[in-house]
Each structure stands twice: as C-alpha cells, then as structure tokens.
C-alpha cells in the first residue's frame, strides 16, 4: 500500500491484512520488549496541524516500536505560525528524506495534496470532516476482538455526525465488513442526506435497544459555525447515552476525547461495557500495522509482517 488516505480507497482484503498484522503486534505488545527491529533507519514524520492526544501519541509509539526514527512536527511553534504554506512545509520536511508522512489537518483533502507533493508514503491521521481511516481500522480491530465477525451486527452511531470524520470513515469500515449502521441524532447534526453513505438515519433513540454496539460521538464545538442545538442540557436529555439507555448486553464505543456528561454519562464511560480504553490501546498496534503497509509500499525490499521478528527477549 503506497498511502492510506481514506477507507473508501481500500478493499476488504487490505483491511483483513492490516487487522492480521495488528494482531501480530498485539502479541508483541504483551512481551517485555515491545519493539521489532525491521524498520531501523527509516524516517516517519508526524505532521499535525490540529490538536490530538491519542492519534499523535500512538503514531509516535507505533513508529518507535517499529524501530524507525520518528520526527514530530506540530503547527504550533513551527514556521507555520510565520505563514509557511502546507506545500512549502512538506517540501522542507521532504528534504529530510522521510519514508512516511503522517498528517492531521483541519482541511479535507490535505493528505491527498501531501501525497502529490512528497515522494513519501502518506497516512491520513484525520482531515477536517472528511476521513480518519486509522481510527476506523482500530475500531474494527477492537470490535473483531470482542464480538468476532461484524456481518449482520447492528451499530448505532449517535451524536454529531455532521462534523465527524470518524462517523464517515468508521461507518464505511463497519459496512465493508457487513455490519448495518444507523446514524442517530438531532436533524441539525444528522441531516437526511447522510443516508447516501448507505446508513439508516434516525432523529430519535427509539430502537437503540436493538443495537449490538452504541458508538457515541463528541459534539465538535470547534467546528460549529452556527447554533445547531437549543442547549447542551436539551441535547443530553434527548441523546445522551447513559445507564438508562444502554442495555446490559450492548457495547459502548467513543473515539475520544469525550465531553463527559454531555454525549456520555460518567457511569457508562467508566462502566464494564465501555471499549473506550481498548480503542486507545489498539491505536498503537493498528498504527504499527498501517506504517508497515506504507513503509513496505514505498520500498520493495522491506520485510512483510509475517517475516518481522521481535527483538530478542531478556530471560
Ligand atoms: N480519536 C482521536 O482522533 O483522538 P485525538 O484527537 O486525541 O487524536
């Protein structure tokens, strides 16, 4: 795989291969030495134009566990603040000879531009409201580990779908593996045209009890340019996932960060049905698997994952 820009671009067989590699790295992560030596000397640049805790830290750990050199560049404190353009920033960083550039941007389509401007493999770590493909892959990984095959499973994605790249990319990923996806939330945040993605659209939580998985989304205040909601209290009254609405057999997911007490009540965040911490943990091994794909795609001589060997373990 040359780049990972969108879930739309990849086939089921690509997904299965990545999930298989992630499982291999999951086994390595349980060992005292969690690194494989195969990407020594390779350079991964993490270029982040938007805030991130999970994605940035897990890409950094993923690159380091593959033994690559990892360079983190965030727009705050860089020459972006002096007005340097994305194109010039990419040209500058490309002079260091990166094998992969991981980019997060507030602008949809930025990763595609970077892929045109740099010889490096490019991974989309979230672009505007468009896509977050590695989040989708880690969501698949976590669900596969917990419930096995997704075919025929019902997954409700609840909340601010309009502003959510996670909703788009994870819904597409769930459906590629055969799940049925429902988007639910207020009409201002779940417009009917989202049904074009192949999902059902609902504006109440009636029927939520039939879902196998409830995937809550953050209200993205930073992307809201107008008043989408009468008040947070009214939103919570109608759409908050709490212990009254979540059935005992249902699993709960959220990409983080959470507005605690708004889209989720504190008890379900910290409760036994919550997969939120598993999602965070899976970020490392799934991003290792994605980096292997991209680093292998840019160099024909790179070892494939089945030939990767863990570092020797201490007795
Ligand atoms: N889920 C996610 O993308 O979280 P961060 O913004 O913290 O990376």
């Amino acid at each position: 795989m040359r780049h990972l820009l969108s879930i739309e671009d990849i086939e089921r067989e690509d997904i299965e291969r990545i999930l298989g590699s992630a499982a291999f790295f999951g086994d390595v992560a349980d060992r005292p030495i969690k690194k494989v030596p195969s990407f020594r000397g390779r350079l991964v640049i993490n270029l982040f134009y938007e805030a991130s805790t999970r994605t940035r830290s897990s890409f950094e750990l993923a690159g380091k566990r593959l033994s690559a050199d990892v360079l983190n560049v965030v727009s705050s404190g860089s020459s972006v603040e002096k007005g340097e353009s994305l194109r010039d920033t990419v040209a500058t960083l490309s002079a260091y000879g990166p094998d992969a550039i991981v980019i997060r941007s507030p602008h949809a389509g930025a990763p595609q531009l970077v892929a045109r401007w740099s010889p490096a493999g490019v991974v989309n770590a979230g672009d505007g409201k468009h896509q977050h493909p590695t989040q989708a892959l880690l969501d698949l990984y976590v669900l596969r580990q917990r419930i096995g095959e997704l075919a025929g499973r019902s997954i409700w994605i609840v909340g601010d779908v309009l502003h959510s790249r996670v909703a788009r990319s994870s819904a597409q990923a769930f459906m590629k593996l055969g799940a049925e996806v429902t988007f639910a939330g207020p009409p201002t945040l779940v417009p009917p045209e989202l049904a074009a993605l192949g999902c059902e659209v609902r504006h109440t939580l009636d029927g939520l009890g039939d879902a196998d998985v409830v995937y809550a989304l953050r209200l993205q205040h930073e992307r809201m340019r107008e008043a989408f909601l009468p008040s947070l209290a009214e939103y919570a009254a109608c759409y908050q996932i709490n212990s009254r609405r979540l059935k005992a057999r249902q699993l709960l997911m959220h990409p983080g960060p959470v507005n605690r007490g708004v889209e989720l009540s504190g008890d379900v965040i910290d409760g036994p049905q919550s997969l939120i911490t598993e999602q965070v943990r899976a970020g490392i091994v799934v991003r290792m698997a994605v980096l292997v794909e991209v680093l292998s795609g840019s160099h024909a001589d790179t070892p494939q994952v089945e030939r990767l060997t863990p570092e020797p373990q201490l007795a």
Side-chain angles (χ1 to χ4, degrees):
M1 185 181 292
R2 185 81 185 89
H3 309 291
L4 177 60
L5 304 177
S6 166
I7 284 292
E8 289 166 324
D9 299 340
I10 61 174
E11 304 296 333
R12 182 171 179 150
E13 64 181 356
D14 302 315
I15 292 174
E16 297 291 358
R17 193 176 59 252
I18 290 168
L19 298 184
S21 301
F24 169 85
F25 290 125
D27 291 342
V28 176
D30 290 335
R31 299 173 185 171
I33 298 174
K34 304 178 191 317
K35 291 180 80 152
V36 293
S38 309
F39 290 91
R40 270 192 201 124
R42 297 292 176 83
L43 175 59
V44 177
I45 296 182
N46 295 326
L47 176 58
F48 276 63
Y49 281 82
E50 258 191 352
S52 169
T53 298
R54 293 149 199 80
T55 312
R56 188 153 64 94
S57 56
S58 58
F59 264 116
E60 179 175 352
L61 283 169
K64 288 177 172 171
R65 289 197 183 172
L66 293 170
S67 301
D69 295 328
V70 179
L71 176 63
N72 295 310
V73 179
V74 292
S75 55
S76 167
S78 76
S79 287
V80 171
E81 291 192 336
K82 301 175 194 163
E84 190 163 41
S85 68
L86 175 63
R87 185 169 192 150
D88 286 343
T89 301
V90 169
T92 300
L93 296 175
S94 294
Y96 299 137
D99 299 282
I101 296 177
V102 177
I103 176 162
R104 169 168 287 193
S105 169
H107 303 296
Q112 282 78 0
L113 291 174
V114 177
R116 278 178 23 206
W117 295 334
S118 174
V122 175
V123 181
N124 182 357
D127 62 328
K129 297 186 288 184
H130 178 222
Q131 281 275 319
H132 195 349
T134 60
Q135 178 73 44
L137 291 166
L138 76 85
D139 289 340
L140 288 180
Y141 179 80
V142 168
L143 275 183
R144 271 278 186 83
Q145 298 251 317
R146 285 298 284 251
I147 61 175
E149 289 303 319
L150 299 194
R153 298 288 193 164
S154 169
I155 301 175
W156 278 51
I157 298 179
V158 180
D160 182 0
V161 180
L162 181 69
H163 299 104
S164 176
R165 54 196 174 210
V166 172
R168 280 166 187 72
S169 41
S170 291
Q172 288 169 338
F174 295 150
M175 289 188 289
K176 274 184 195 261
L177 267 57
E180 290 158 15
V181 176
T182 299
F183 287 143
T188 47
L189 297 177
V190 187
E193 53 268 27
L194 285 167
L197 289 175
C199 309
E200 193 174 335
V201 168
R202 301 219 189 176
H203 296 129
T204 73
L205 296 189
D206 297 347
L208 183 79
D210 296 332
D212 298 296
V213 179
V214 179
Y215 195 118
L217 297 172
R218 183 172 68 88
L219 287 179
Q220 299 198 32
H221 300 289
E222 73 275 20
R223 296 193 206 280
M224 294 186 190
R225 299 276 175 269
E226 52 193 277
F228 286 87
L229 302 165
S231 71
L232 290 183
E234 285 179 76
Y235 176 83
C238 295
Y239 299 105
Q240 184 188 79
I241 306 301
N242 50 40
S243 53
R244 187 169 50 83
R245 292 194 167 120
L246 193 68
K247 301 272 178 282
R249 65 170 194 85
Q250 293 179 313
L251 295 172
L252 175 66
M253 302 180 81
H254 189 296
V258 176
N259 293 311
R260 198 173 266 263
V262 181
E263 67 265 9
L264 292 178
S265 64
D267 53 349
V268 297
I269 296 170
D270 303 321
Q273 293 151 264
S274 171
L275 302 182
I276 296 171
T277 304
E278 285 181 45
Q279 289 173 271
V280 175
R281 195 177 298 119
I284 299 175
V285 297
V286 170
R287 290 175 173 126
M288 288 174 81
V290 167
L291 287 176
V292 167
E293 290 281 326
V294 171
L295 293 170
S296 304
S298 58
H299 292 264
D301 59 344
T302 299
Q304 297 300 309
V305 70
E306 59 266 25
R307 293 186 5 237
L308 294 175
T309 47
E311 294 274 14
Q313 305 292 300
L314 296 174

